[in-house]
Amino acid sequence: MAVPFAFFAVFFAYPVAAIVARGLKDGGRWQFGRMGEVLGDPHIGHVLWFTTWQAAASTALTLALALPGAYVFARFDFPGKQVLRAVVTVPFVLPTVVAGSAFLALLGRGGLLDELWGVRLDTTVWAILLAHVFFNYAVVVRTVGGLWAQLDPRQEEAARVLGAGRFAAWRRVTLPALAPAVAAAALMVFLFTFTSFGVIQILGGPRYATLEVEIYQQTAQLLNLPTAAVLSIVQLLAVCVLLAVHAWTVRRRESTLRLVDAARTAHRPRGAGQWALLAGVLTCVTLLILLPLAVLVQRSFDGPDGYGPVFYRALQSVSYTH
C-alpha cells in the first residue's frame, strides 16, 4: 500500500491542501469565516443551484434516451452491432472540450442547423443537456446493458407463465435486478455532469457556469483564491459523497445477482414492436452521436477561405519562434 498511498499523497492530497491553504490562510491564520461569506453570495448560490439542477436534468435525459439503447444492445442481435457499440463509446473517450466543439459545430453560429434552418441552440440549456447525453450515452449502455445482457431471461419468462403480464413480469423480476446498475450509471452520469467544464465553457456562454467553471474563473480570471478554495472544498465533498454511494451500489449489484453468458440472451428482433424499438434507438444514436461526430470531422477539413485541409497539412510542419 505504500506506493499508491505515496502517489495519492503527492499528486492529489498535497495540491488540494496547498490551494485550500493559499485561499483560506491569511498571515499564518486560518480564515474559516470566508466559507460563510462565499456560500452566502447570491451569485455563488446561483452557480451551485445551476450545477445541481443541470446535472440532475442531464442524468434524467441520458437515462431516458440511453436505457432503450442498453436494452437493444443487450438483447438484440443485428448487423453492425459490435461496430455501433464501439462507436457510441467514442464520445466518452473524447476530451469534453472536443465534445463541446462537436455540438458547437452542429448547433452554434454557422453550424449545420443554422445553415439549413437558421436554428441556433448554443448558449442555451438544451445544447448543454444534449452534449451531456452525447458524452454519457455509453456510460448507461455499458453499465446497464452489460448487466442486462447477462440476466437470465428465463426468470421473466417463468413469471409470465405464472400469469404475469409482460410489463408486470419486467417490473417484478427484471427491474429489481437492474436497479443497482441503473443507480450506478445514474450516479456516474450525475458526477460527470456535476463536474462538467469543457461542455459548459464552450456551449454555456456567459449566462451559465457550473461549479467547475466558476472555480476556473475565480482562479484564472479574477485571481480570487479564497473563493476558489471554498468552492474546491464544496466540490471535493460532493464528489466524495457521490463516489461513496456509487461504490455501495456496485457492491450490492455484484453480491446479489446470478448471471449467465451474454451470448445466450441476444436474439434477432421479433415482431413490429421490437423492430420499431430498434429503429428508434438507431435513429437516436444517429442524431445524437453519429451526426455531431460527422460534423466535427467535416469541419476539420474546412480550411480558411475554402483552402481545404490546411490544418492537417500544418500538423506536418514545424515552426520555431525566437
Side-chain angles (χ1 to χ4, degrees):
M1 294 293 294
V3 173
F5 181 80
F7 182 88
F8 176 84
V10 172
F11 293 101
F12 181 78
Y14 174 75
V16 171
I19 190 174
V20 171
R22 179 171 293 189
L24 296 183
K25 264 190 174 182
D26 186 11
R29 300 181 60 182
W30 289 96
Q31 304 292 332
F32 292 108
R34 291 176 176 173
M35 298 185 68
E37 296 175 2
V38 172
L39 297 179
D41 187 339
H43 170 70
I44 299 300
H46 175 74
V47 170
L48 291 172
W49 168 245
F50 175 73
T51 301
T52 303
W53 87 254
Q54 68 81 24
S58 298
T59 302
L61 186 60
T62 302
L63 289 177
L65 295 177
L67 282 177
Y71 175 78
V72 165
F73 282 105
R75 291 297 173 87
F76 289 174
D77 189 11
F78 54 91
K81 173 181 174 180
Q82 298 305 323
V83 174
L84 193 61
R85 187 198 297 270
V87 169
V88 299
T89 309
V90 170
F92 184 72
V93 300
L94 291 176
T96 55
V97 173
V98 177
S101 300
F103 269 81
L104 188 64
L106 179 64
L107 306 176
R109 181 188 297 274
L112 181 63
L113 293 185
D114 191 20
E115 292 179 351
L116 294 178
W117 300 294
V119 176
R120 288 184 54 193
L121 294 177
D122 58 321
T123 69
T124 68
V125 173
W126 281 110
I128 294 172
L129 298 182
L130 292 175
H132 283 161
V133 174
F134 168 82
F135 184 77
N136 293 293
Y137 190 92
V139 174
V140 179
V141 169
R142 292 286 183 172
T143 304
V144 181
L147 177 63
W148 212 333
Q150 295 180 283
L151 292 181
D152 193 345
R154 292 176 296 181
Q155 298 179 358
E156 187 174 327
E157 293 169 359
R160 296 192 62 191
V161 169
L162 294 175
R166 182 183 297 272
F167 177 75
W170 179 84
R171 179 173 57 84
R172 296 176 182 176
V173 178
T174 304
L175 182 58
L178 287 176
V182 174
L187 284 168
M188 290 305 299
V189 173
F190 187 89
L191 176 63
F192 291 140
T193 53
F194 186 85
T195 58
S196 181
F197 177 79
V199 169
I200 305 294
Q201 187 78 343
I202 292 177
L203 297 176
R207 295 178 55 193
Y208 303 108
T210 56
L211 196 57
E212 189 95 357
V213 173
E214 187 66 21
I215 292 172
Y216 167 77
Q217 292 177 346
Q218 294 289 339
T219 303
Q221 298 178 4
L222 303 178
L223 300 179
N224 189 347
L225 293 183
T227 299
V230 172
L231 297 181
S232 298
I233 294 174
V234 172
Q235 179 166 322
L236 179 62
L237 292 175
V239 169
C240 289
V241 170
L242 290 172
L243 289 177
V245 177
H246 178 264
W248 176 78
T249 60
V250 170
R251 287 196 302 270
R252 181 185 173 199
R253 180 186 67 187
E254 292 177 347
S255 62
T256 59
L257 296 179
R258 292 180 300 174
L259 306 178
V260 298
D261 185 4
R264 295 167 46 191
T265 63
H267 59 81
R268 290 183 61 82
R270 304 164 185 159
Q274 292 189 356
W275 280 107
L277 176 61
L278 176 59
V281 168
L282 294 179
T283 301
C284 179
V285 170
T286 300
L287 295 178
L288 279 177
I289 297 179
L290 299 183
L291 183 59
L293 290 176
V295 171
L296 185 64
V297 172
Q298 183 267 326
R299 288 299 177 92
S300 70
F301 285 95
D302 290 344
D305 301 323
Y307 284 107
V310 62
F311 301 116
Y312 285 98
R313 291 195 295 268
L315 294 176
Q316 303 174 6
S317 64
V318 179
S319 62
Y320 297 93
T321 303
H322 299 282

